[in-house]
Amino acid sequence: MAASASASASAAATLPTTLLLRRLLLLSPRRHPTTPAPRRFRSCCCSSSSSSPAAAPAHPHPPAGGRRLRGELRSRAMSSSTNSTVLAESVATGSSGDVELLPFVNDKHGGVIVEMTAPMDPQLFSASLKASLSKWREQGIRGVWIKLSISLANLIQYAVEEGFWYHHAEETYLMLAYWLPATTHTLPVNATHRVGVGAFVMNDKREVLAVQEKSGVLRGLGVWKFPTGVVEPGEDINLGAVREVKEETGIDTEFVEVLAFRQSHKAFFDKSDLFFVCILRPLSFDITKQDSEIEAAQWMPVEEFAAQPFVQKHELVRYILEVGLAKVDKDYAGFSPILIKSAFTDKKSFFYMNRRDLDKASESSSTQKKTEKPLFMEKL
């Protein structure tokens, strides 16, 4: 062993200094010269813009209502942008000029979208993100979106330390956002509403389809109500209403119209709620209730349904009953879905409108002279 060490030392002495240094570097632990040493995981509310333990958090708790003020986001972005610019320049000008930018696509509003799906070393991600932000800032990019797969949750910390904030999350990913200019950001907020439907279904015997729920505020109270539910992502309102009735009662129906809708706030995890009252025509009559959610289901005489103390007390249910009967017995017109095309994409969507009154108005206007004052103007 001693002889071997002596031989190595003798050989090293004869090597040129530059070659010796290279061999020593190869034997030392490999670490990117500009990549910071591995850090202990910290809370996402900590800032990397200061090394002082007493530095203010980069992500203060949002104000009441759970939404950050734009001014706070701007201040945080400005503070962290200075840090990322300096670090990114050191990466770009150092001996590690081979740091690649994160893959991205341009959006339609002067921003970029980064979608991360493949595993990536956190330190490499941090260095690439710093370099990317510096480059995008030079190019005048404004908004930056990073979509992280749930399997890449270990990268969240490094994005947050650069000033990114949570925009929204779904089952399989988290979307983070960042605003590069030193101005108040104009990025759109996350989706603000949940969409629900309620179904008014009446047969020829003037019986309405009613259910009792196994869960929720009405559980065990013996209250009969209309079938209701939440529209699924990507589902149209008319199809959602038909599906909910089928799931809860086994009744097949045909969608007729949207009779009315209600908007409420702070309904579900601080989200607002749009509830559409729909009238459907029954196509079958044998009930098969949903065991998991429905305690009981029946065709119920409308007078008996209306006489419930709950209906008398609950204005929403009372109005649903009122507009439903107005549609059946009177001349009430709701909104029917019209399939329309977009001028910008190949997608089609439903436009809900009072087609009956529109047709009447069109017929009336065709017989009216062009020189006459429009009917709606006569009321002004």
Side-chain angles (χ1 to χ4, degrees):
M1 181 68 71
S4 176
S6 175
S8 298
S10 176
T14 63
L15 289 174
T17 303
T18 302
L19 182 58
L20 179 60
L21 288 175
R22 287 181 179 176
R23 290 193 174 184
L24 289 174
L25 286 173
L26 289 174
L27 293 174
S28 63
R30 300 299 300 272
R31 185 165 63 87
H32 201 290
T34 59
T35 301
R39 292 166 288 186
R40 183 180 180 183
F41 188 88
R42 297 176 294 172
S43 170
C44 290
C45 65
C46 296
S47 170
S48 62
S49 59
S50 173
S51 59
S52 172
H59 293 275
H61 293 292
R67 180 179 176 185
R68 297 183 180 90
L69 297 177
R70 286 189 171 184
E72 294 176 354
L73 294 177
R74 179 183 65 178
S75 299
R76 182 185 61 196
M78 292 175 64
S79 173
S80 62
S81 65
T82 304
N83 178 50
S84 64
T85 300
V86 173
L87 292 176
E89 288 177 351
S90 68
V91 169
T93 59
S95 59
S96 58
D98 58 344
V99 174
E100 296 183 359
L101 300 183
L102 295 174
F104 68 93
V105 295
N106 294 307
D107 65 18
K108 299 178 181 178
H109 306 283
V112 296
I113 303 173
V114 178
E115 184 168 356
M116 303 291 297
T117 57
M120 188 175 188
D121 177 78
Q123 303 298 332
L124 179 58
F125 171 76
S126 178
S128 296
L129 178 58
K130 289 178 173 67
S132 298
L133 291 176
S134 179
K135 186 66 175 179
W136 293 331
R137 188 175 288 106
E138 293 175 0
Q139 295 174 343
I141 297 299
R142 303 192 301 166
V144 180
W145 303 89
I146 295 183
K147 183 179 180 181
L148 284 178
S149 168
I150 193 171
S151 62
L152 303 180
N154 62 319
L155 303 181
I156 296 174
Q157 170 197 1
Y158 301 92
V160 170
E161 287 177 349
E162 290 304 312
F164 282 80
W165 64 88
Y166 294 174
H167 186 266
H168 67 273
E170 294 293 343
E171 293 181 3
T172 59
Y173 73 87
L174 170 68
M175 183 71 78
L176 299 115
Y178 184 77
W179 186 250
L180 285 170
T183 59
T184 301
H185 85 81
T186 58
L187 297 177
V189 299
N190 183 26
T192 58
H193 286 69
R194 184 180 68 161
V195 178
V197 290
F200 182 93
V201 187
M202 178 181 281
N203 61 21
D204 293 338
K205 301 177 182 179
R206 295 187 64 81
E207 296 171 330
V208 293
L209 188 60
V211 298
Q212 290 183 352
E213 295 182 334
K214 279 188 175 181
S215 61
V217 295
L218 299 179
R219 180 183 61 180
L221 299 181
V223 171
W224 293 96
K225 59 181 286 292
F226 296 113
T228 59
V230 177
V231 175
E232 296 179 349
E235 185 178 41
D236 293 303
I237 294 171
N238 54 335
L239 299 180
V242 171
R243 175 187 54 77
E244 283 292 343
V245 170
K246 177 67 173 180
E247 288 179 355
E248 293 189 359
T249 68
I251 298 297
D252 294 311
T253 58
E254 177 187 5
F255 182 86
V256 180
E257 290 177 347
V258 169
L259 298 178
F261 71 91
R262 180 208 63 181
Q263 181 186 29
S264 62
H265 304 290
K266 305 288 184 180
F268 186 75
F269 288 108
D270 287 335
K271 294 294 183 181
S272 299
D273 184 88
L274 286 173
F275 179 76
F276 291 86
V277 179
C278 308
I279 184 169
L280 287 71
R281 182 180 297 110
L283 301 178
S284 64
F285 303 95
D286 294 332
I287 293 176
T288 304
K289 73 177 183 69
Q290 184 182 35
D291 290 332
S292 60
E293 297 183 14
I294 301 302
E295 184 67 35
Q298 68 169 339
W299 290 103
M300 189 174 188
V302 65
E303 294 80 6
E304 183 180 340
F305 182 93
Q308 294 181 99
F310 171 75
V311 176
Q312 297 298 319
K313 180 181 179 180
H314 201 310
E315 284 189 318
L316 175 61
V317 181
R318 195 166 70 246
Y319 273 119
I320 294 175
L321 182 61
E322 186 175 339
V323 295
L325 291 176
K327 174 64 181 179
V328 173
D329 299 333
K330 301 178 183 178
D331 201 28
Y332 184 91
F335 298 91
S336 54
I338 307 297
L339 194 62
I340 61 174
K341 299 179 181 179
S342 170
F344 306 101
T345 68
D346 295 331
K347 295 180 179 179
K348 294 183 179 180
S349 59
F350 282 109
F351 181 72
Y352 290 81
M353 57 183 291
N354 183 342
R355 188 60 182 265
R356 186 199 65 182
D357 287 352
L358 177 64
D359 291 340
K360 287 183 179 180
S362 299
E363 293 174 2
S364 176
S365 62
S366 64
T367 59
Q368 186 180 16
K369 295 180 181 179
K370 295 183 179 180
T371 56
E372 292 181 358
K373 191 175 183 180
L375 293 177
F376 77 93
M377 291 294 292
E378 295 179 356
K379 300 179 181 179
L380 300 179

